[in-house]
């Protein structure tokens, strides 16, 4: 129950991976809304689209946000962006959440290694939890694998049976890996609710293709119909009879019963009929 | 008559002047000095441990958690033997690894006091000896859940290399371009010089552990053209450093993230290659329920002869079990094939020829 626990516990670094079919931004926004409601200060960086398009939404969410978009006027070098992230970090010592929406534009210009060290530098000064969104279908497999390596917790959103499902993998400090699959839904107030575990409906018990009397496919009729089966089960077998008779005390140890027969000693000379 | 003419070629055997190096054992198979891994079951497989002066590459399981346990054991064994330790990591603070080593556990020795022992009439020489299995304790046993508190005197034997230690990195201009690699090799050389391990007469050795070499944090992808040379050149240089000094290196690589050719090159380069695979990576392994993963010895090089180490012909697969306290390696075996009697009671009566009345087992 990773998502459920994430909503209750202090923030950790999370990577949310979505795709074209299922948008991960609602979950992303509601997670950071949850953190800001719980008293952690959130700094939100929007790289995907200009801030103005969703201004009212942002205002509703009420956390300090910034935007550093790549355009010609602004310095899009790595150091500038990093300094953007780490400015004003030396504050009250509370847990800080840096929300990055999303990593995909950054990855178009940076390598994963640079991103990794930038994130590492961010965490040097204070305890910062980075919540990042990334569009998994935009990048190649190696990049996504490397990103999964960097972040300890990743959530993938997908749709199953018409509902939103969040599959999570959490790597704990001790090295243990926890998997989970949960349904979730987002309200208008950006709250996550209805988090329940996905229970796969157990498939209808498939009748074993090998029935009790396994009959190989052939042109011969090897089945028994009901009457024949009944007759077959009525057959009393010899050892059963014996077992019934020696039921109680006789331990059925193997016995060799030998009766000494008359010695087989023939006086005749077997070579008699030879005519040499 | 000159005093020193040698008449015969007889040479008196004198004790070798080299002092015994701490933490090593002479191998019975090929007289190399072997450095224990810390995991006794692993030592038993690899002839007592890593040969001194070799490079061991551990191909990590996904996210590297089990490989981390092996490195912890390796360092813990070094701490017990009072070796020098160098931990290099970009994934996390390297001091974290050194501060969380498993602490040694002394297994309670069974004092085999035999009561009412008969007087040994024939083997009377053995009467006073205790019954002790000499082969049992080849090394130390560790408990992973208790972090080892290192005595202060030993803290001088530690060195680290990591992001926190080397802030400003310059790109190299020679063959090796990656600045992280350059700085790592430099730090290793400095440690060796500081502790005088290259003099040939040092009684101690250095255990080098490089965690997750090749992960994104190392920034090998910064310069695509030099990626392959940087990776392999660093390993090669590391190997040459440990060969010429009293050192042994354990490097873990996240092989799922790397190009297959790089992984193959590192396999060719290293002396010992161990691959860890956890159960979640391979769905076929789900049947092996009592182990947590598979350990494969991809390569065990014999440094002193052409013959492979006894028993390592690649046919044995080992599994590992990692509990909260221990890490153990054992030979794999399939679980016993017990018939899953899933059939409901009404089916059983028509199973084969049995009398309808009794459900006793058939008695032959």
């Amino acid at each position: 129950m990773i998502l459920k626990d994430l909503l209750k516990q202090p923030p950790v670094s999370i990577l949310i991976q979505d795709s074209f079919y299922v948008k991960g931004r609602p979950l992303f926004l509601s997670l950071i809304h949850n953190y800001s409601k719980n008293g952690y200060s959130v700094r939100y960086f929007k790289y995907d689209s200009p801030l103005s398009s969703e201004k009212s939404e942002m205002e509703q969410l009420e956390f300090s946000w910034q935007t550093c978009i790549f355009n010609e006027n602004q310095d899009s070098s790595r150091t500038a962006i990093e300094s953007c992230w780490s400015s004003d970090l030396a504050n009250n010592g509370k847990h800080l959440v840096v929300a990055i929406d999303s990593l995909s534009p950054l990855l178009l210009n940076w390598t994963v290694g640079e991103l990794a060290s930038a994130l590492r530098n961010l965490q040097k000064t204070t305890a910062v939890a980075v919540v990042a969104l990334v569009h998994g279908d935009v990048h190649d497999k190696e990049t996504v694998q490397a990103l999964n390596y960097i972040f300890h917790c990743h959530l993938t959103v997908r749709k199953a049976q018409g509902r939103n499902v969040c599959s999570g993998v959490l790597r704990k400090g001790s090295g243990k890996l926890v998997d989970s699959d949960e349904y979730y839904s987002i309200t208008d107030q950006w709250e996550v609710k209805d988090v329940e575990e996905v229970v796969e409906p157990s498939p209808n018990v498939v009748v074993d293709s090998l029935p009790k009397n396994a009959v190989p496919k052939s042109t011969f009729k090897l089945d028994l119909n009901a009457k024949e089966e009944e007759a077959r089960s009525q057959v009393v077998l010899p050892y059963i009879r014996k077992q019934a008779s020696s039921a109680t005390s006789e331990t059925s140890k193997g016995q060799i019963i030998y009766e000494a027969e008359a010695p087989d000693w023939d006086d005749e000379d077997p070579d008699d009929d030879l005519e040499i | 008559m000159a005093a020193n003419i040698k008449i015969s070629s007889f040479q008196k055997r004198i004790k070798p002047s080299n002092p015994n190096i701490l933490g090593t054992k002479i191998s019975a198979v090929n007289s190399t000095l072997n450095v224990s891994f810390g995991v006794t079951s692993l030592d038993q497989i690899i002839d007592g441990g890593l040969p001194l002066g070799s490079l061991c590459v551990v191909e990590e399981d996904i996210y590297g958690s089990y490989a981390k346990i092996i490195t912890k054991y390796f360092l813990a064994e070094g701490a017990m033997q009072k070796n020098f330790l160098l931990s290099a990591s970009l994934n996390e603070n390297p001091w974290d690894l050194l501060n969380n080593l498993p602490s040694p556990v002394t297994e309670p020795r069974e004092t085999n006091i035999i009561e009412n022992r008969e007087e040994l009439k024939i083997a009377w020489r053995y009467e006073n000896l205790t019954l002790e299995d000499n082969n049992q304790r080849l090394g130390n046993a560790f408990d992973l859940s208790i972090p080892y508190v290192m005595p202060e005197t030993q803290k001088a034997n530690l060195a680290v290399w990591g992001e926190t230690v080397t802030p400003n990195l310059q790109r190299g201009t020679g063959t090796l371009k990656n600045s992280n690699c350059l700085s790592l090799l430099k730090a290793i050389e400095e440690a060796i010089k500081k502790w005088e391990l290259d003099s040939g007469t040092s009684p101690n050795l250095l255990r080098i552990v490089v965690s997750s070499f090749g992960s994104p944090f190392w920034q090998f992808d910064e310069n695509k053209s030099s990626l392959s040379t940087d990776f392999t050149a660093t390993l090669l240089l590391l190997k040459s450093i440990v060969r010429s000094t009293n050192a042994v290196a354990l490097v873990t690589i996240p092989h799922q993230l790397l190009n297959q050719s790089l992984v193959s090159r590192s396999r060719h380069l290293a002396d010992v290659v161990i691959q860890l695979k956890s159960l979640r990576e391979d769905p076929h392994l789900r049947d092996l329920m009592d182990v947590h993963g598979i350990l494969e010895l991809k390569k065990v090089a014999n440094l002193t002869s052409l013959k492979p180490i006894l028993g390592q012909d690649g046919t044995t697969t080992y599994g590992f079990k990692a509990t909260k306290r221990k890490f153990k390696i054992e030979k794999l075996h399939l679980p016993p094939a017990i018939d899953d009697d899933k059939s409901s009671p009404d089916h059983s009566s028509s199973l084969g020829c049995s009398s309808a009345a009794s459900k006793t087992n058939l008695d032959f």
Side-chain angles (χ1 to χ4, degrees):
Chain A
M1 298 305 290
I2 294 181
L3 190 54
K4 221 173 196 171
D5 295 335
L6 283 178
L7 293 170
K8 293 185 222 152
Q9 288 164 2
V12 290
S13 290
I14 307 173
L15 179 74
I16 300 177
Q17 185 178 328
D18 69 352
S19 68
F20 174 70
Y21 300 102
V22 184
K23 294 277 184 292
R25 183 168 287 118
L27 179 64
F28 172 76
L29 288 174
S30 38
L31 261 177
I32 52 185
H33 179 63
N34 180 51
Y35 286 145
S36 81
K37 251 191 347 180
N38 289 349
Y40 301 102
S41 57
V42 177
R43 313 191 72 237
Y44 176 76
F45 296 92
K46 201 168 189 344
Y47 297 111
D48 260 0
S49 57
L51 200 59
S52 49
S53 60
E54 289 149 32
K55 211 161 190 174
S56 57
E57 205 175 71
M58 296 296 120
E59 273 161 9
Q60 192 187 29
L61 283 165
E62 283 175 31
F63 38 71
S64 89
W65 38 263
Q66 288 206 16
T67 170
C68 308
I69 314 169
F70 292 123
N71 54 25
E72 294 86 39
N73 308 339
Q74 275 187 307
D75 186 6
S76 61
S77 71
R78 183 179 143 185
T79 43
I81 293 187
E82 274 190 51
S83 59
C84 228
W85 288 349
S86 47
S87 58
D88 291 343
L89 268 193
N91 55 6
N92 23 20
K94 255 191 320 182
H95 230 103
L96 177 64
V97 176
V98 168
I100 304 178
D101 177 6
S102 62
L103 286 179
S104 301
L106 296 179
L107 283 172
L108 292 177
N109 292 307
W110 295 359
T111 60
V112 184
E114 289 174 328
L115 181 66
S117 66
L119 290 172
R120 172 54 51 78
N121 290 340
L122 188 57
Q123 294 189 316
K124 256 193 231 178
T125 43
T126 41
V128 174
V130 178
V131 180
L133 179 66
V134 77
H135 305 300
D137 41 2
V138 167
H139 305 286
D140 54 9
K141 207 174 63 150
E142 288 88 22
T143 316
V144 175
Q145 262 183 332
L147 280 177
N148 284 347
Y149 192 86
I150 301 171
F151 283 89
H152 288 244
C153 172
H154 25 101
L155 309 172
T156 314
V157 292
R158 58 188 172 94
K159 265 211 153 56
Q161 294 148 11
R163 301 172 66 177
N164 297 326
V165 175
C166 163
S167 320
V169 178
L170 173 66
R171 197 187 341 163
K172 290 197 185 156
S174 59
K176 192 159 172 244
L177 285 172
V178 181
D179 284 307
S180 81
D181 268 327
E182 294 152 298
Y183 291 120
Y184 70 94
S185 59
I186 314 280
T187 62
D188 286 336
Q189 276 75 43
W190 299 104
E191 281 166 14
V192 184
K193 68 175 181 117
D194 293 345
V195 181
E196 10 170 84
E197 214 161 312
V198 170
V199 175
E200 297 254 323
S202 54
N204 297 326
V205 180
V206 175
V207 176
D208 217 2
S209 55
L210 284 180
K212 326 135 214 181
N213 29 1
V215 176
K217 292 183 186 150
S218 75
T219 52
F220 300 107
K221 178 183 167 294
L222 297 167
D223 293 338
L224 305 168
N225 55 26
K227 215 171 162 193
E228 287 169 352
E229 261 196 51
E230 197 195 304
R232 190 195 199 203
S233 62
Q234 294 294 330
V235 171
V236 178
L237 296 157
Y239 40 82
I240 301 284
R241 206 188 298 150
K242 181 137 179 111
Q243 192 184 41
S245 71
S246 67
T248 46
S249 54
E250 257 181 62
T251 50
S252 52
K253 273 201 176 143
Q255 280 180 21
I256 300 176
I257 303 170
Y258 173 69
E259 286 164 12
E261 294 165 357
D264 185 15
W265 188 257
D266 207 356
D267 277 341
E268 287 176 359
D269 186 4
D271 293 333
D272 253 356
D273 49 359
L274 283 180
E275 290 170 280
I276 305 165
Chain B
M1 206 151 71
N4 289 338
I5 294 178
K6 277 197 184 161
I7 300 171
S8 75
S9 60
F10 174 76
Q11 278 180 325
K12 202 170 176 184
R13 185 192 294 191
I14 35 175
K15 222 172 171 180
S17 56
N18 257 349
N20 226 353
I21 303 180
L22 278 177
T24 60
K25 273 196 295 268
I26 295 189
S27 149
V29 172
N30 51 12
S31 312
T32 52
L33 288 169
N34 285 346
V35 176
S36 166
F37 262 106
V39 185
T40 45
S41 31
L42 188 56
D43 283 344
Q44 282 165 354
I45 302 171
I46 311 186
D47 185 37
L50 285 177
L52 184 63
S54 66
L55 169 68
C56 173
V57 162
V58 175
E59 295 179 3
E60 291 175 5
D61 51 309
I62 199 159
Y63 310 132
S65 25
Y66 293 120
K68 198 164 159 191
I69 298 182
I70 290 191
T71 58
K72 277 193 190 173
Y73 266 93
F74 187 68
L75 289 171
E77 177 73 22
M80 289 311 297
Q81 304 282 355
K82 303 193 179 14
N83 297 139
F84 297 114
L85 305 177
L86 186 137
S87 155
S89 166
L90 281 180
N91 265 20
E92 49 177 13
N93 190 349
W95 283 111
D96 279 345
L97 195 60
L98 288 173
N99 290 335
N100 284 323
L101 296 179
S103 51
V105 164
T106 44
E107 283 160 5
R109 284 210 174 187
E110 296 162 19
T111 49
N112 287 322
I113 304 169
I114 300 179
E115 289 159 3
N116 303 329
R117 212 171 64 164
E118 279 178 14
E119 203 182 85
L120 296 172
K121 287 232 170 87
I122 298 174
W124 51 272
R125 284 190 196 274
Y126 295 110
E127 226 180 281
N128 293 330
L129 297 180
T130 54
L131 274 187
E132 206 181 275
D133 192 0
N134 285 326
N135 290 332
Q136 240 177 27
R137 301 239 329 206
L138 292 177
N140 294 310
F142 294 98
D143 187 335
L144 280 170
S145 52
I146 310 172
Y148 180 54
V149 176
M150 218 170 284
E152 285 300 322
T153 49
Q154 232 176 302
K155 290 205 175 158
N157 286 358
L158 306 178
V160 292
W161 178 87
E163 195 83 54
T164 49
V165 181
T166 50
N168 294 322
L169 304 168
Q170 302 288 325
R171 256 178 73 82
T173 45
T175 325
L176 196 57
K177 296 222 165 32
N178 187 308
S179 41
N180 286 324
C181 300
L182 281 170
S183 123
L184 169 68
L185 291 171
K186 211 167 175 184
I188 293 177
E189 278 180 356
E190 278 170 12
I192 288 178
K193 266 206 195 73
K194 179 169 102 172
W195 289 319
E196 291 169 7
L197 292 162
D198 48 358
S199 60
T201 54
S202 161
N204 208 336
L205 61 92
L206 168 66
R207 291 182 189 233
I208 303 170
V209 163
V210 183
S211 305
S212 279
F213 181 64
S215 71
F217 295 103
W218 286 78
Q219 290 186 257
F220 277 115
D221 44 7
E222 203 164 42
N223 189 351
K224 284 267 156 58
S225 57
S226 70
L227 161 63
S228 47
T229 47
D230 279 347
F231 186 85
T232 33
T234 315
L235 284 179
L236 187 60
L237 287 169
L238 183 58
K239 185 164 105 159
S240 66
I241 291 176
V242 298
R243 273 286 200 281
S244 51
T245 58
N246 280 3
V248 74
L250 181 82
V251 176
T252 67
I253 60 173
H255 68 293
Q256 292 103 343
L257 300 178
L258 297 172
N259 193 349
Q260 186 56 34
S261 61
L262 282 184
V263 177
S264 304
R265 282 181 208 176
S266 61
R267 280 186 194 174
H268 278 282
L269 261 181
D271 298 308
V272 176
V273 178
I274 299 175
Q275 186 185 65
L276 294 171
K277 219 193 269 191
S278 65
L279 284 187
R280 52 188 294 136
E281 295 171 50
D282 196 347
H284 300 297
L285 304 175
R286 290 286 155 78
D287 296 332
L288 306 164
M289 285 189 313
D290 56 345
V291 289
H292 294 127
I294 285 194
L295 182 142
E296 278 183 29
L297 283 177
K298 294 285 188 194
K299 181 177 178 184
V300 178
N302 193 340
L303 292 180
T304 53
S305 81
L306 295 174
K307 190 170 176 285
I309 304 272
L310 207 62
Q312 291 315 322
D313 46 1
T315 54
T316 336
T317 328
Y318 299 94
F320 61 83
K321 276 196 233 196
T323 60
K324 228 174 94 176
R325 294 169 168 258
K326 275 202 306 203
F327 181 83
K328 198 166 165 225
I329 293 168
E330 49 188 41
K331 274 199 187 149
L332 262 192
H333 57 88
L334 288 174
I338 303 173
D339 262 319
D340 285 321
D341 209 352
K342 289 190 191 138
S343 55
S344 54
D346 12 281
H347 292 321
S348 62
S349 59
S350 51
L351 254 176
C353 328
S354 63
S355 65
S358 67
K359 286 190 184 166
T360 53
N361 290 331
L362 297 179
D363 195 89
F364 283 86

